[in-house]
Amino acid sequence: MIATRSRNVWVVWISMALALLLSVSTLPRFMEIGRPLWLALFLTYWVLALPHRVGMTSAWCVGLLADVLNGTLLGQNALILTLITFLVLSLHQRLRMFPMWQQSMVLLVVFGLAQLVQLWLNALTGSRPPTLAFVLPALVSALLWPWVCMLLRAVHQRLGVN
């Protein structure tokens, strides 16, 4: 078996840094409740595109960075991003075959489960009262998935990341 040399893997980490910046950028007050799950979106794309390079360890590391950046309980975002990565890796072969609208529906469920775990962790720590608005970021992220996927696919193909 011939091993291929990895090329331009730094693009993955630059895009994760961009997702971290997007996740802490300021939004108008009325839009804050529906903030997209940028890290989950970008991580999902790279897990689907490069499952041999980006996996649960990458998700855990990026999640710890998000915890430090957001000032949340250490390991909270790491746990959630690792859960998302596990679910996406489990569905990897099927997700790649689905059309874009079906991928969005599956990711709505995956992101919804992640938001449910987030809500549960927030309720345990007492940092936020539970409301039904926790579903809104998952819905916005599922609606943004086709555009994020097309953008990252263009970058992936243009720079030849493998």
Side-chain angles (χ1 to χ4, degrees), residues 92-160:
H92 173 260
Q93 295 297 330
R94 284 184 224 140
L95 271 175
R96 288 179 61 109
M97 286 187 349
F98 288 164
M100 196 60 71
W101 69 271
Q102 261 182 325
Q103 286 181 5
S104 292
M105 290 298 138
V106 171
L107 290 178
L108 174 64
V109 173
V110 169
F111 295 155
L113 286 172
Q115 285 298 101
L116 190 61
V117 171
Q118 179 94 17
L119 179 73
W120 178 64
L121 289 172
N122 284 338
L124 283 178
T125 59
S127 61
R128 201 168 91 187
T131 63
L132 275 177
F134 77 92
V135 179
L136 199 54
L139 180 63
V140 171
S141 298
L143 290 173
L144 283 175
W145 170 248
W147 287 279
V148 169
C149 186
M150 284 188 289
L151 174 74
L152 288 176
R153 185 178 296 141
V155 169
H156 180 192
Q157 290 173 350
R158 174 91 171 149
L159 296 176

Side-chain angles (χ1 to χ4, degrees), residues 12-91:
V12 175
W13 296 108
I14 294 293
S15 69
M16 289 298 168
L18 177 67
L20 275 168
L21 289 174
L22 285 171
S23 68
V24 296
S25 64
T26 57
L27 289 176
R29 191 156 179 81
F30 71 94
M31 290 176 63
E32 190 65 40
I33 196 164
R35 177 183 289 279
L37 305 170
W38 292 113
L39 275 172
L41 284 168
F42 280 49
L43 190 64
T44 298
Y45 174 79
W46 289 117
V47 166
L48 286 174
L50 303 171
H52 58 285
R53 298 261 182 246
V54 181
M56 291 173 48
T57 305
S58 303
W60 183 262
C61 293
V62 170
L64 285 177
L65 286 172
D67 288 329
V68 170
L69 197 59
N70 293 329
T72 58
L73 183 66
L74 193 62
Q76 182 174 349
N77 287 319
L79 174 70
I80 289 166
L81 288 175
T82 305
L83 172 70
I84 290 171
T85 303
F86 172 75
L87 292 172
V88 169
L89 280 172
S90 298
L91 300 169

